[in-house]
C-alpha cells in the first residue's frame, strides 16, 4: 500500500521536468499572493478522475519544500482520496468538525511531506451539501488561515453543488482539465458556474498534456 501511494507523488531528482512544472505553479501562486490576499486555494475539475487530488498533494509537496507551511483540506466529502494519497487516518475529519462532534485541532494530522498537514474528509455523510453550508466551515478557514501560509482545498468536481458552496469561502480557484478527455462544452459550463461564485479563477492546469511528451502537466495562468 505504501509503495503504491508513493507512486502518486512526484520525484524531486535533479532535472525532473514534472517537479519543475509544480515549482513554476508554486511561483505563480506566490506572485499572485503579493498582489492580493491569497491563502485559501480550492482545486476542482469538471468531472471525476482528472487528477485533481494528486495534483494538490504534489503542489503541497513543493510548497512545503520552500519552507511554506501548508494545510490540505479534503472537502470532497462524497469521494475523498487525500487520506489514501498521504497515508492519513480517515476515521475522523472535516465531516466530524462540521457536525461539531470533535474539535478542529483533533482532526489536523501531520503527513510524511515536509511542512504539510492534512484535514481528511472523514466518513462520507449522507448530506454533504448541507454540511458544507454550515457556518462551521467559515470558522474552520478563519482559524487555519492564522496557522498556515497556504490552505489547499480538495473540492469535488463542479458537477455537484458542494463545490460552489466551498468556493464562496476561499480566496481563489484552480481548475484541472485532462487533455483530449475533458469535453470542452462541459469545461466551459463548469467555468461559468465557478464564475458565478465571484471567486477569482487563478489558472487552469492541463493534466497529461502532450505539448511535451516528457511532461504530464501544463499550467495556464489566468
Amino acid at each position: 500500500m505504501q509503495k503504491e501511494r508513493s507512486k502518486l507523488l512526484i520525484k524531486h531528482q535533479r532535472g525532473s521536468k514534472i517537479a519543475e512544472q509544480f515549482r513554476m505553479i508554486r511561483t505563480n501562486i506566490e506572485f499572485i499572493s503579493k498582489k492580493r490576499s491569497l491563502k485559501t486555494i480550492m482545486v476542482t475539475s469538471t468531472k471525476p478522475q482528472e487528477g485533481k487530488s494528486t495534483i494538490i498533494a504534489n503542489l503541497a509537496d513543493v510548497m512545503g519544500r520552500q519552507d511554506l507551511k501548508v494545510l490540505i483540506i479534503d472537502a470532497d466529502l462524497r469521494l475523498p482520496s487525500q487520506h489514501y494519497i498521504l497515508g492519513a487516518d480517515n476515521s475522523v475529519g472535516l465531516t466530524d468538525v462540521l457536525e461539531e462532534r470533535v474539535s478542529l485541532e483533533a482532526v489536523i494530522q501531520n503527513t510524511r511531506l515536509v511542512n504539510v498537514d492534512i484535514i481528511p474528509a472523514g466518513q462520507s455523510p449522507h448530506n454533504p451539501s448541507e454540511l458544507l453550508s454550515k457556518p462551521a466551515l467559515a470558522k474552520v478557514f478563519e482559524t487555519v488561515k492564522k496557522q498556515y501560509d497556504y490552505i489547499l482545498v480538495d473540492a469535488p468536481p463542479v458537477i455537484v453543488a458542494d463545490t460552489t458552496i466551498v468556493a464562496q469561502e476561499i480566496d481563489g480557484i484552480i481548475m484541472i482539465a485532462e487533455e483530449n478527455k475533458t469535453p470542452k462544452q462541459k469545461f466551459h459550463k463548469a467555468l461559468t458556474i465557478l464564475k458565478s461564485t465571484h471567486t477569482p479563477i487563478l489558472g487552469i492546469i492541463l493534466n497529461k498534456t502532450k505539448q511535451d511528451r516528457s511532461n504530464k502537466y501544463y499550467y495556464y495562468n489566468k
Side-chain angles (χ1 to χ4, degrees):
M1 181 73 73
Q2 185 71 23
K3 183 178 180 182
E4 187 173 350
R5 280 198 300 263
S6 68
K7 292 179 181 178
L8 297 175
L9 300 176
I10 58 175
K11 305 299 182 182
H12 290 271
Q13 292 93 342
R14 182 177 298 178
S16 169
K17 292 185 177 181
I18 294 176
E20 183 57 32
Q21 287 175 327
F22 276 103
R23 286 191 285 268
M24 289 175 62
I25 295 170
R26 178 195 63 202
T27 300
N28 285 338
I29 289 172
E30 290 179 314
F31 180 75
I32 295 172
S33 298
K34 293 178 180 178
K35 293 185 174 182
R36 63 170 183 262
S37 176
L38 179 63
K39 296 201 76 171
T40 51
I41 301 169
M42 185 182 82
V43 182
T44 185
S45 57
T46 302
K47 58 185 180 66
Q49 305 299 321
E50 290 186 307
K52 66 177 174 63
S53 297
T54 304
I55 287 173
I56 289 169
N58 285 311
L59 180 56
D61 190 7
V62 297
M63 284 179 162
R65 290 171 183 266
Q66 189 71 6
D67 292 327
L68 296 168
K69 195 172 181 184
V70 182
L71 176 67
I72 295 174
I73 298 179
D74 196 340
D76 192 342
L77 304 184
R78 298 171 189 263
L79 192 63
S81 58
Q82 287 297 334
H83 66 284
Y84 171 72
I85 296 172
L86 297 174
D89 177 12
N90 195 46
S91 58
V92 293
L94 182 62
T95 296
D96 302 277
V97 175
L98 298 180
E99 291 182 338
E100 300 181 349
R101 289 198 295 257
V102 300
S103 68
L104 177 60
E105 293 75 15
V107 300
I108 297 177
Q109 301 177 38
N110 300 126
T111 72
R112 68 181 187 273
L113 303 181
V114 179
N115 295 320
V116 178
D117 292 342
I118 181 176
I119 296 178
Q123 301 302 306
S124 297
H126 68 278
N127 58 341
S129 295
E130 289 80 1
L131 267 185
L132 292 168
S133 297
K134 288 189 172 185
L137 182 64
K139 292 180 181 178
V140 168
F141 286 126
E142 181 182 352
T143 301
V144 297
K145 278 184 176 183
K146 300 172 184 176
Q147 303 172 3
Y148 294 89
D149 296 306
Y150 288 102
I151 297 96
L152 303 181
V153 183
D154 190 340
V158 186
I159 56 176
V160 295
D162 309 13
T163 306
T164 54
I165 295 170
V166 176
Q168 296 175 54
E169 301 292 344
I170 55 94
D171 301 326
I173 300 169
I174 293 176
M175 272 289 291
I176 309 298
E178 188 174 354
E179 187 177 51
N180 296 326
K181 288 194 175 181
T182 301
K184 291 183 179 179
Q185 184 176 1
K186 290 184 177 180
F187 179 76
H188 287 297
K189 182 178 179 180
L191 284 180
T192 300
I193 292 171
L194 290 175
K195 287 177 181 177
S196 71
T197 68
H198 303 293
T199 302
I201 298 175
L202 306 175
I204 300 163
I205 296 177
L206 185 60
N207 194 9
K208 302 177 184 178
T209 178
K210 296 180 181 178
Q211 290 205 359
D212 180 340
R213 293 184 182 273
S214 64
N215 293 344
K216 188 178 179 182
Y217 306 99
Y218 190 78
Y219 181 69
Y220 295 94
N221 183 241
K222 297 275 291 180

